[in-house]
Amino acid sequence: MSTNPSGDVPVRRIDRILAFMSLGLLVLSIVCFFAIMIASAAGADFGTGIWPIVGVLVYIAPIAAFGLLLAVLIMSFVRRSRANRGG
């Protein structure tokens, strides 16, 4: 695996994709949380429409984002250890 002159391991495309997916899921979760807060103040019916999906996203999205971030960290640690062992 080639490294750049500064000695850092280059960032792969899959790492960027997973990192941005993690960030996107966290932002989506926060937006859904505020949507539920605003809708509950407005007196919306949470049993119909898209509200059940919005409610589930508040619980599921942060866990999935954490899993994606954990995968990025593990992949980068493995890649760095392989680069250090090889060079």
Side-chain angles (χ1 to χ4, degrees), residues 18 22 25 60-75:
L18 290 176
S22 174
L25 283 173
I60 300 297
I63 297 169
F66 179 73
L68 290 173
L69 191 60
L70 196 61
V72 169
L73 285 173
I74 290 171
M75 286 173 26

Side-chain angles (χ1 to χ4, degrees), residues 30-46 51 54 58:
I30 291 170
V31 167
C32 288
F33 176 73
F34 283 119
I36 287 175
M37 288 177 48
I38 293 169
S40 65
D45 180 24
F46 290 108
W51 291 111
V54 172
V58 171

Side-chain angles (χ1 to χ4, degrees), residues 10-48:
V11 179
R12 295 181 303 179
R13 181 181 290 184
I14 188 70
D15 295 334
R16 287 188 183 145
I17 290 171
L18 290 176
F20 283 118
M21 283 176 59
S22 174
L23 180 64
L25 283 173
L26 282 176
V27 169
L28 178 67
S29 176
I30 291 170
V31 167
C32 288
F33 176 73
F34 283 119
I36 287 175
M37 288 177 48
I38 293 169
S40 65
D45 180 24
F46 290 108
T48 60

